[in-house]
Amino acid sequence: MRKMVQINEITFNNENAMMLIIENHTLNLANCHEVGTMIADSDQSSLLYIIEENEEFVYVTVPVEYWPEMKKAYDLKSEVFLQVGEAKFPLENWQNELTFLVQNVDGNFNYGEEFVKQIQSVFLEEK
């Protein structure tokens, strides 16, 4: 089984840790553990980070509009947390997986030309 949850907001706390916020969801972070894999959904222009809750895969969806914040966290080497209500869950493999995925997508038009351009413009072009 699997379920999809979409983040609603990204914030940075005082320590520059990136918080991926999910509102109005029943996801119980106390019952989660990290699978530690990030995949692409090129059709929806989203990146998906996989965690597991009670032996069920949960795909944390990060749409393209949040990628600039992801790039900021990547550049700062920020810690990354998933937040539901007051509960926080560390995503310890986030940075490594993002690096691997961006490198894999760069120039790989199996993902679709538009998706490749989106990845390149946010994560690979110097601003």
Side-chain angles (χ1 to χ4, degrees):
M1 298 280 308
R2 71 176 186 173
K3 68 173 138 181
M4 308 286 285
V5 296
Q6 184 168 310
I7 66 161
N8 304 100
E9 180 181 1
I10 290 181
T11 62
F12 289 84
N13 68 13
N14 293 337
E15 291 82 39
N16 276 331
M18 182 173 72
M19 313 303 290
L20 303 172
I21 299 171
I22 298 173
E23 298 173 355
N24 301 323
H25 203 278
T26 61
L27 185 65
N28 184 345
L29 296 179
N31 295 330
C32 291
H33 74 272
E34 188 174 27
V35 173
T37 302
M38 185 179 291
I39 61 174
D41 181 349
S42 57
D43 293 334
Q44 300 298 317
S45 294
S46 295
L47 299 177
L48 305 143
Y49 194 78
I50 305 171
I51 62 173
E52 193 172 27
E53 179 189 32
N54 298 324
E55 300 184 23
E56 179 179 35
F57 288 123
V58 178
Y59 292 77
V60 178
T61 305
V62 184
V64 67
E65 61 261 25
Y66 295 107
W67 293 2
E69 288 93 344
M70 289 174 57
K71 171 68 167 143
K72 175 184 173 186
Y74 181 80
D75 289 344
L76 293 171
K77 296 180 179 25
S78 299
E79 292 182 291
V80 179
F81 294 86
L82 185 60
Q83 181 174 338
V84 178
E86 296 300 313
K88 296 178 177 96
F89 180 75
L91 302 177
E92 295 175 0
N93 208 30
W94 179 274
Q95 296 285 18
N96 291 335
E97 283 295 307
L98 181 59
T99 298
F100 178 76
L101 185 63
V102 167
Q103 289 173 348
N104 191 44
V105 171
D106 184 28
N108 184 346
F109 291 99
N110 290 327
Y111 288 94
E113 185 175 349
E114 182 61 28
F115 188 77
V116 171
K117 286 180 181 178
Q118 289 170 323
I119 289 286
Q120 290 172 332
S121 70
V122 174
F123 294 103
L124 297 173
E125 291 182 5
E126 295 299 319
K127 307 259 181 208

